[in-house]
Amino acid sequence: MPSARAQLRIIGRSSSHFTRVTRVFAHEFGLTYEFQTVSNLHSLRRADYGGNPALKLPILETASGQWFGALNICRELARACATPVAIVWPEHLNERLAANAQELVSQGMTSEVALIMSTLPAPGVATDYQTKLRASLDWLEAHLPAVRRSLLPERRVSFLEVSAFCFVTHLAFRSVLDTSGYPELQDFCREFQRRESARLTAYGFDAT
Ligand SMILES: N[C@@H](CCC(=O)N[C@@H](CS)C(=O)NCC(=O)O)C(=O)O
């Protein structure tokens, strides 16, 4: 269990985009948390993943137990925040384009994990996964700016923007795809990168 002072522990990796989503939210909420790294993604021991039977990360440990999955974790972090913060959650995306943008980002993040876990192909050889990821990026490049303009102006942030930022920047970080040809997505990432929560959660490979 996390120490009494922190009350919250995020178990994940600095190189993981799903982990980064939860850490960005923790910082946006001004929450203090311990960060524990998972050292070996080949481990098949549930205990190495904070008790998550799916053997996936991130995991949030609280005084009441463990929470699995990035979205679940972000919601629990919101409940742990003493002051209400205006967040746009996926279920608030009632407009078609915004809802579809969230689906493409979430599915893209999942495909990227599958791609990385099954090892990347030789340079210049595109797998079906990469081709499909590029199709999602093409769509997001065309629609994300309008989608963002449609979101609640008073929001602190939206799950869509946090996950889109973590997704697009992770593609470059893990050399999965070159994203330099997507100027709108690059502008969005540059803007989001100015947030303290983004600066404090930069991708990197943990030493352990
Ligand atoms: N549905 C999970 C997916 C988490 C996920 O795929 N995490 C990756 C790291 S970014 C992972 O656990 N990779 C190891 C594996 O797939 O075995 C969530 O939303 O948090």
Side-chain angles (χ1 to χ4, degrees):
M1 283 295 124
S3 72
R5 204 176 133 266
Q7 296 289 326
L8 300 169
R9 175 185 293 149
I10 293 175
I11 301 172
R13 282 159 76 97
S14 304
S15 54
S16 145
H17 50 3
F18 282 109
T19 302
R20 190 176 191 184
V21 168
T22 63
R23 296 180 70 204
V24 167
F25 268 95
H27 288 285
E28 291 288 342
F29 292 140
L31 295 170
T32 304
Y33 64 95
E34 290 175 12
F35 184 50
Q36 180 182 315
T37 58
V38 174
S39 55
N40 175 16
L41 282 190
H42 296 290
S43 167
L44 299 179
R45 293 179 60 241
R46 196 194 286 195
D48 291 336
Y49 300 85
N52 185 353
L55 310 182
K56 292 275 192 180
L57 47 104
I59 302 96
L60 173 70
E61 277 187 2
T62 70
S64 65
Q66 294 102 337
W67 298 81
F68 310 139
L71 182 55
N72 270 343
I73 291 172
C74 293
R75 292 188 203 282
E76 179 59 10
L77 293 174
R79 288 186 284 267
C81 183
T83 324
V85 176
I87 301 295
V88 175
W89 296 108
E91 64 271 25
H92 297 143
L93 303 177
N94 294 323
E95 301 208 351
R96 187 175 55 86
L97 278 188
N100 287 345
Q102 182 67 68
E103 166 60 17
L104 265 60
V105 169
S106 299
Q107 182 54 57
M109 292 173 77
T110 301
S111 297
E112 206 194 345
V113 172
L115 188 59
I116 290 170
M117 293 304 287
S118 60
T119 69
L120 290 171
V125 181
T127 64
D128 286 352
Y129 263 132
Q130 283 171 311
T131 306
K132 289 183 177 190
L133 277 171
R134 203 164 274 297
S136 292
L137 286 183
D138 290 346
W139 192 94
L140 289 167
E141 172 73 11
H143 296 294
L144 194 63
V147 165
R148 293 187 69 216
R149 285 194 295 276
S150 75
L151 299 177
L152 181 78
E154 303 80 37
R155 72 191 180 287
R156 168 73 181 240
V157 77
S158 65
F159 190 83
L160 171 61
E161 289 162 303
V162 176
S163 48
F165 169 74
C166 294
F167 171 47
V168 174
T169 52
H170 196 257
L171 290 167
F173 168 67
R174 291 305 309 260
S175 306
V176 168
L177 282 181
D178 177 8
T179 54
S180 59
Y182 295 94
E184 295 288 355
L185 297 179
Q186 293 292 336
D187 280 356
F188 159 67
C189 289
R190 260 192 302 275
E191 179 196 320
F192 199 94
Q193 180 63 40
R194 289 201 284 270
R195 286 173 179 259
E196 192 183 20
S197 58
R199 289 201 307 274
L200 291 171
T201 57
Y203 285 127
F205 291 104
D206 299 311
T208 51

